[in-house]
Amino acid sequence: MEREQLQALLADMSLEEKIGQMVQLNASFLGNNDTLITGPMGTVSVDADEVKLCGTILGTAGADKLKELQKQAMEGQPHHIPMLFMMDVINGFQTIFPIPLAQGCSFEPELAKQGAQIAAKEAAAAGLHVTFTPMLDLTRDARWGRVMESPGEDPYLNSCFAKAMVEGFQGSSLSEKGRISACLKHFAAYGYPEGGREYDNVELSERTFRQDYLTGYQGAVDANCRMAMTSFNSLNRVPSTANRWLMRDVLRGEMGFDGVLISDYAAVEELIPHGIAADKREAAKLALEAGVDIDMMSDVYLHYLKDAVEAKEVDEALIDEAVMRILTLKNDLGLFENPDKDASAEDEKALILCDAHRQAACEAAVKTFVLLKNEAQILPLAKEEADGLLVSGPYADSRLLCGSWSFPSTYDNIPTIRERMTEAVSGQKITFTEGCSLFYDGEIVKDHTMEGMNPEQMEAAIAETVEAAKKAKNVVLCLGEYYTQTGEGSSRTSLQISQNQMELLRRVSEVNENVITVIFSGRPLEMTEIEALSKAVLYVWMPGTEGAKAITDVLFGEKEPTGRLSMSFPHRAAQEPLYYSRFQGGRPRTPQEPRGFRIGYIDIEYRPYHSFGYGLSYSTFNYSPVSLDSSEMTANSRITAKVTLTNTGNRRATETVQMYLRDVSGSVIRPMRELKGFEKVTLDPGESRDISFVIEEPMLRFVRMDMSVGSEPGRFEVFIGADSTTENGTAFVLK
Ligand code: GLC
């Protein structure tokens, strides 16, 4: 439809009809019995006639089902306006990709773009129109469970992944086949709750908020992301969903977002327990005035907006602007001309979990793995020595390799490490034991009673594995967190794997010095003891459908680990929140001044255990000193920084060259390192290559003392190296 037609439609709609477009319910309200429930059902009570007016539903998919739901919905709509179908397609629809935090560790935004393209094709064939991703909350506190859903702790890296993901889902036009609308979330700063406590208040100075927390979301806005979602948290004591400054002045006014703004699940109603709305009527007004277009999973808009408009407490023009944005999104998707868009049972069958998508998921997983330790180059393992290999641990034969925001219709088609490793060494016999269960039988994790071994069974399983380890040349232990220990509602004060798994590792390492530990996790964990007891550690996050194949290929050297940490790892949880781009302080701790009244702690090293950007390869690399083509620049010039990278090892390998800048002195203090560029480089043994980065004035800008954004003349340091701790640097002056 043309815009004028949309405006004519809007003008012809009743107030009830317009408000109906602003309501999203989950599919259970349409009688759908396999709805994905992703939040509390709250106090939503709606009757059949009211449901007919709702403009969007979430939580169900399937071509034929959604075609039927769309037909019914349009018949029930006075103007036969098509329904929007939305779902959390976070890291894949049915072909599950690595969690977004793992994808961030690839330092390859194109990888995330490809994953999003594949997810969009599968989801669109299943009748979906919108996904609730990318999640771009900066994550600097590993205690918070949703770190798994974000690319990580660095604003610049997040903005690169934001752009790639939005482009992957949306393409150049939403009406294209196989495209769905993306949704930047959760606006804003949900990832920094006090104490790492899920849903708690976020206290950030406006300077820090603007400096670090908006960059990722801005990347999505700049990529023309067509929807945004409010966050559950309050920001400096104002809940986002009622935060007019945040939504209208910052998101729309300053950042230029012009799409639909949807609340998070029941977040409009939750303004009442937040203590900012006395009742649903006030909640409705606050959310509408803040610019929330769609009320997800509450009946607040449905039951209270009409009265408020008729009582002249809110301006109907606010409703008209919201509905126009919703109709525009439906129109951009082409739904008025083709309400079923790409829903096709035939395409579902051809696309979902097809070989090409599985292959892409496997390649993506490989690129997210981070090799944390590889003493004596024990990895890669020799396939011909598989007879002497013992593989054990709760993940050695598990299909549960996907993150908590993955909803495969079945886990049956997710191969296990045991299956893939056995295939890989056909003819030889790898010894497999369970080693231990993730939890003791009856342990409670997120209100669920876990099944596992009882103490006697656990002891027997560990003892059996210890005996097998005595005979093995190498031992691979597959350990980690359970997938529900990260994700929404999963903040933890401990960053350790379960003690029974540590017991297995401790006792196996006593009888075999060649332990290779593979860690599954949705967050940074305490790795000190695990690495001390292992000769090699491979961090595989939650790798998705083809994670087992990817792990097998890397362990046997068919593929190389190239991941680099996109989130810092602590020595222990008490260090959180933790991130690399820290400040030097007035009393820096240096090799010359390692003790005394110096920044940090008296009981542990205060810097990260593994810092942002860290990761090993199966080869080694050498960096030449950094050279600049000029030691001075102005706002209108540029400097090129260069290093020569050499593969000093004996196998072809990939390095992620990282460039960091430091503004040595400014009107406010500036971090000691800020990532400003990265490039993945693959070199043959002995091969060298010059790697250059262009430095331009916009890269030097920051939120200055007067809150304006700009650069300031002075001395800058530029570092180019393997991770954020590199000291390989030089300096230049901005005149
Ligand atoms: C959840 C999450 C949000 C998700 C939404 C719909 O509570 O906070 O990320 O997209 O509800 O499932």
Side-chain angles (χ1 to χ4, degrees):
M1 291 167 95
E2 297 303 322
R3 187 163 181 76
E4 295 70 32
Q5 292 173 287
L6 290 179
Q7 285 164 336
L9 170 60
L10 178 67
D12 199 44
M13 291 167 71
S14 68
L15 180 56
E16 289 86 347
E17 204 183 346
K18 288 190 280 191
I19 291 170
Q21 288 296 307
M22 299 168 72
V23 178
Q24 180 177 68
L25 298 175
N26 70 32
S28 66
F29 288 91
L30 275 69
N32 186 61
N33 56 16
D34 65 349
T35 299
L36 180 66
I37 307 294
T38 52
M41 294 303 276
T43 61
V44 180
S45 60
V46 291
D47 64 35
D49 289 338
E50 290 174 321
V51 170
K52 284 178 185 169
L53 290 178
C54 291
T56 169
I57 63 165
L58 81 154
T60 194
D64 292 340
K65 181 200 307 183
L66 294 193
K67 281 181 175 178
E68 183 53 33
L69 286 176
Q70 187 69 290
K71 178 171 174 292
Q72 292 168 15
M74 293 176 70
E75 284 168 358
Q77 285 275 338
H79 286 84
H80 311 300
I81 297 170
M83 177 77 84
L84 271 178
F85 296 125
M86 305 188 189
M87 184 180 255
D88 296 281
V89 181
I90 307 300
N91 42 263
F93 178 60
Q94 290 302 302
T95 305
I96 307 299
F97 279 71
I99 56 174
L101 183 58
Q103 293 187 35
C105 293
S106 70
F107 276 71
E108 198 170 314
E110 274 306 303
L111 177 108
K113 181 172 182 176
Q114 185 197 42
Q117 284 167 335
I118 288 171
K121 284 178 184 169
E122 292 191 357
L128 292 171
H129 305 137
V130 182
T131 178
F132 299 122
T133 202
M135 186 276 217
L136 298 163
D137 306 325
L138 206 65
T139 52
R140 293 178 160 175
D141 191 330
R143 295 172 296 180
W144 189 56
R146 300 191 76 166
V147 298
M148 51 74 63
E149 218 177 324
S150 158
E153 72 181 52
D154 181 76
Y156 172 64
L157 189 69
N158 277 14
S159 69
C160 297
F161 275 84
K163 178 176 180 292
M165 289 174 174
V166 171
E167 290 172 351
F169 281 112
Q170 298 188 165
S172 53
S173 164
L174 289 182
S175 60
E176 279 173 14
K177 182 170 184 180
R179 300 300 187 177
I180 60 177
S181 173
C183 172
L184 73 91
K185 72 181 184 182
H186 307 79
F187 202 73
Y190 177 25
Y192 207 61
E194 290 178 67
R197 286 182 299 275
E198 178 67 291
Y199 309 129
D200 208 327
N201 181 54
V202 173
E203 284 291 340
L204 279 172
S205 70
E206 185 175 342
R207 180 185 314 284
T208 298
F209 173 64
R210 288 181 176 280
Q211 181 69 51
D212 293 345
Y213 284 80
L214 289 179
T215 310
Y217 304 119
Q218 188 68 59
V221 173
D222 294 347
N224 194 33
C225 189
R226 301 313 307 140
M227 197 159 91
M229 183 185 292
T230 70
S231 61
F232 287 127
N233 60 287
S234 48
L235 174 59
N236 301 327
R237 306 185 189 188
V238 180
S240 302
T241 305
N243 195 327
R244 187 188 179 111
W245 169 78
L246 190 59
M247 301 303 169
R248 289 190 182 275
D249 299 348
V250 177
L251 179 62
R252 292 193 187 280
E254 294 178 31
M255 297 172 69
F257 174 70
D258 63 357
V260 171
L261 179 63
I262 189 168
S263 77
D264 201 341
Y265 199 111
V268 174
E269 180 174 357
E270 290 171 3
L271 295 177
I272 300 168
H274 261 300
I276 200 167
D279 52 31
K280 287 188 174 183
R281 184 184 182 100
E282 187 174 11
K285 291 190 293 186
L286 287 171
L288 181 69
E289 286 163 358
V292 176
D293 299 325
I294 297 178
D295 173 7
M296 180 198 293
M297 273 306 289
S298 100
D299 61 1
V300 170
Y301 275 12
L302 190 63
H303 290 155
Y304 296 89
L305 267 187
K306 181 170 181 289
D307 289 355
V309 169
E310 289 169 351
K312 306 278 185 228
E313 293 172 16
V314 289
D315 186 343
E316 188 167 354
L318 295 182
I319 289 181
D320 290 347
E321 75 174 34
V323 176
M324 191 59 184
R325 286 192 281 261
I326 295 163
L327 296 177
T328 300
L329 177 56
K330 294 183 176 186
N331 195 44
D332 290 347
L333 284 157
L335 298 184
F336 287 102
E337 291 76 25
N338 175 14
D340 294 334
K341 195 174 185 303
D342 304 329
S344 158
E346 185 185 351
D347 286 350
E348 275 182 311
K349 190 168 173 12
L351 289 169
I352 287 178
L353 284 164
C354 67
D355 288 348
H357 290 183
R358 278 182 175 273
Q359 179 59 31
C362 182
E363 287 168 8
V366 166
K367 291 183 174 181
T368 66
F369 298 163
V370 184
L371 184 60
L372 299 180
K373 180 179 180 183
N374 193 19
E375 191 180 304
Q377 297 297 308
I378 189 172
L379 287 178
L381 298 170
K383 275 188 183 178
E384 54 276 11
E385 296 175 354
D387 281 333
L389 184 59
L390 166 64
V391 178
S392 185
Y395 275 103
D397 200 14
S398 170
R399 300 187 190 285
L400 301 180
L401 308 183
C402 304
S404 58
W405 281 103
S406 308
F407 308 107
S409 54
T410 171
Y411 281 87
D412 295 345
N413 46 42
I414 298 180
T416 72
I417 288 175
R418 179 175 191 147
E419 290 164 348
R420 288 299 194 199
M421 288 189 87
T422 300
E423 277 170 23
V425 295
S426 53
Q428 297 184 78
K429 181 154 176 36
I430 297 172
T431 305
F432 290 92
T433 68
E434 189 169 1
C436 67
S437 53
L438 273 171
F439 304 99
Y440 282 102
D441 196 40
E443 275 193 73
I444 306 291
V445 176
K446 277 184 80 173
D447 308 328
H448 289 286
T449 303
M450 309 307 288
E451 291 180 5
M453 298 178 186
N454 63 36
E456 295 72 28
Q457 292 164 334
M458 196 79 85
E459 174 49 36
I462 293 175
E464 174 204 19
T465 304
V466 169
E467 286 311 305
K470 288 174 182 173
K471 306 182 192 93
K473 182 176 186 302
N474 296 313
V475 181
V476 174
L477 291 182
C478 305
L479 313 174
E481 271 190 328
Y482 189 58
Y483 77 97
T484 66
Q485 287 183 288
T486 45
E488 186 174 352
S490 303
S491 288
R492 291 178 67 198
T493 57
S494 160
L495 296 179
Q496 295 179 352
I497 63 174
S498 57
Q499 282 312 301
N500 39 293
Q501 294 184 84
M502 287 306 297
E503 175 70 8
L504 174 67
L505 172 57
R506 290 179 189 120
R507 287 174 54 184
V508 165
S509 63
E510 283 167 4
V511 300
N512 190 307
E513 61 179 5
N514 295 328
V515 175
I516 295 114
T517 302
V518 177
I519 295 288
F520 290 78
S521 175
R523 59 162 41 99
L525 294 175
E526 290 182 14
M527 294 303 295
T528 314
E529 186 182 1
I530 291 171
E531 289 187 29
L533 297 176
S534 310
K535 218 168 220 172
V537 178
L538 185 67
Y539 218 84
V540 298
W541 305 103
M542 296 310 287
T545 301
E546 284 297 351
K549 176 73 166 58
I551 291 163
T552 299
D553 287 350
V554 168
L555 290 179
F556 285 123
E558 305 285 320
K559 299 280 174 58
E560 57 159 340
T562 60
R564 298 291 184 267
L565 295 179
S566 68
M567 201 173 162
S568 299
F569 278 49
H571 294 266
R572 62 177 80 132
Q575 269 185 285
E576 300 293 339
L578 182 69
Y579 48 100
Y580 82 94
S581 52
R582 294 292 312 158
F583 305 103
Q584 181 166 266
R587 294 189 172 184
R589 193 178 292 269
T590 63
Q592 297 72 32
E593 295 278 359
R595 278 184 245 301
F597 296 100
R598 295 284 151 191
I599 193 169
Y601 308 101
I602 61 171
D603 56 351
I604 54 167
E605 156 62 41
Y606 82 103
R607 282 170 283 255
Y609 178 68
H610 287 313
S611 195
F612 176 88
Y614 172 78
L616 301 177
S617 304
Y618 279 162
S619 187
T620 52
F621 290 91
N622 179 65
Y623 285 77
S624 73
V626 179
S627 65
L628 304 178
D629 63 356
S630 169
S631 60
E632 291 187 353
M633 71 180 277
T634 67
N636 306 313
S637 68
R638 55 172 49 185
I639 283 178
T640 299
K642 185 182 77 175
V643 293
T644 301
L645 181 73
T646 303
N647 179 343
T648 51
N650 56 16
R651 61 176 281 154
R652 183 174 169 81
T654 302
E655 174 73 336
T656 299
V657 180
Q658 300 157 46
M659 193 263 286
Y660 295 87
L661 291 182
R662 180 188 181 192
D663 185 348
V664 175
S665 173
S667 55
V668 297
I669 60 171
R670 308 281 292 118
M672 292 184 280
R673 297 279 192 287
E674 289 182 294
L675 181 74
K676 294 294 181 183
F678 54 90
E679 182 178 341
K680 293 179 80 166
V681 183
T682 301
L683 299 176
D684 286 325
E687 183 184 1
S688 294
R689 190 176 306 165
D690 288 350
I691 311 298
S692 299
F693 295 97
V694 172
I695 300 168
E696 296 177 309
E697 185 272 337
M699 297 159 80
L700 312 181
R701 295 174 187 169
F702 65 101
V703 181
R704 296 179 291 198
M705 172 63 89
D706 62 2
M707 297 301 281
S708 66
V709 176
S711 59
E712 293 175 351
R715 185 167 178 273
F716 289 79
E717 293 172 342
V718 48
F719 301 92
I720 300 178
D723 63 45
S724 56
T725 65
T726 180
E727 294 293 344
N728 187 36
T730 185
F732 65 89
V733 172
L734 172 68
K735 301 298 268 184

